[in-house]
Amino acid sequence: MMPSLLKISHRSFEIGVAIILVALGILVFFESLRLNPGLGDIGPEPGFFPFVLTIAMLFGVFVVLIGVVRQPDLRPFFEAREEVVDLLKVGLPIFFAVLALKWLGLYITAGLYMAFFMAWYGRFKSYWALAGGVIFPVALWLTLAKGFNIPMPHSIFYETGLLPF
C-alpha cells in the first residue's frame, strides 16, 4: 500500500481535497439556507455567518482548482516513506480525538489530546504534558463557557455532575 501512496501527485491530492471541501461547502450552504442567512431586526440570523464563510471557502477552493488546472504540479506528494509515517503520526490522533468528542466532550478531549501529543510527539517530560493536559482545557472552558457563554459539547461526566465540563 505504501508504494502506491508515494506515486500520488500534488495535483491529485489538491483535487481530492477540493472535492471534499466542495462537498462540505454544499452541505453547510444548504444548512445555512435552512437557518436563514439573512439579517433580522436585531442583527444577523443564525445562518448568516455559515453562509458567508461557505461562500468564501468555495470561492477559495475554486481559485485553487483553477491554479491546479492551469499549472499542474505532477511531483509526488510524498517523496519518501517517512513522510507518510509523519502524516499518520499526526492524522491518527486527530481522527481518534474526533471520535472521542461524543463521549468525552471538547474540553476533556482537548486535554487528553494535548497531553498525549506533548508527551509522545513533542517529547515533553510527563509532568509538563500533564500540566498542559489540565491547564489547557480548564483555560478553554473558562474562556468559552464562562467568559463568552458559548456552549460546547460536554462529556459524559458532565451529565453525572462529576465535572463542570
Side-chain angles (χ1 to χ4, degrees):
M1 180 179 112
M2 196 72 70
S4 61
L5 276 176
L6 295 175
K7 295 178 184 174
I8 297 174
S9 69
H10 277 266
R11 179 181 188 212
S12 299
F13 261 85
E14 289 172 348
I15 290 172
V17 170
I19 290 170
I20 292 169
L21 289 176
V22 166
L24 286 172
I26 290 170
L27 179 74
V28 173
F29 177 81
F30 283 110
E31 183 63 15
S32 68
L33 288 179
R34 187 184 70 76
L35 293 172
N36 185 8
L39 295 173
D41 294 337
I42 59 171
E45 296 292 334
F48 180 78
F49 291 112
F51 180 81
V52 171
L53 292 175
T54 300
I55 297 299
M57 182 184 80
L58 289 173
F59 176 75
V61 168
F62 289 119
V63 168
V64 168
L65 279 175
I66 290 169
V68 167
V69 170
R70 294 179 80 195
Q71 293 180 329
D73 187 355
L74 300 176
R75 293 176 299 140
F77 191 76
F78 298 109
E79 294 182 3
R81 179 184 177 102
E82 294 79 27
E83 293 175 349
V84 177
V85 173
D86 284 341
L87 178 68
L88 292 175
K89 278 183 173 179
V90 174
L92 287 177
I94 291 171
F95 175 76
F96 289 116
V98 169
L99 291 179
L101 274 172
K102 181 176 182 177
W103 296 281
L104 298 180
L106 175 75
Y107 307 111
I108 294 175
T109 302
L112 290 173
Y113 181 80
M114 175 76 74
F116 169 76
F117 222 78
M118 284 176 74
W120 177 61
Y121 200 73
R123 303 207 194 298
F124 281 81
K125 292 185 170 144
S126 58
Y127 56 86
W128 286 116
L130 182 61
V134 171
I135 293 170
F136 179 69
V138 170
L140 194 62
W141 176 70
L142 287 171
T143 303
L144 296 176
K146 297 299 178 188
F148 292 108
N149 199 22
I150 300 172
M152 290 294 181
H154 292 288
S155 69
I156 54 176
F157 304 111
Y158 176 78
E159 308 294 329
T160 62
L162 291 172
L163 286 174
F165 46 79

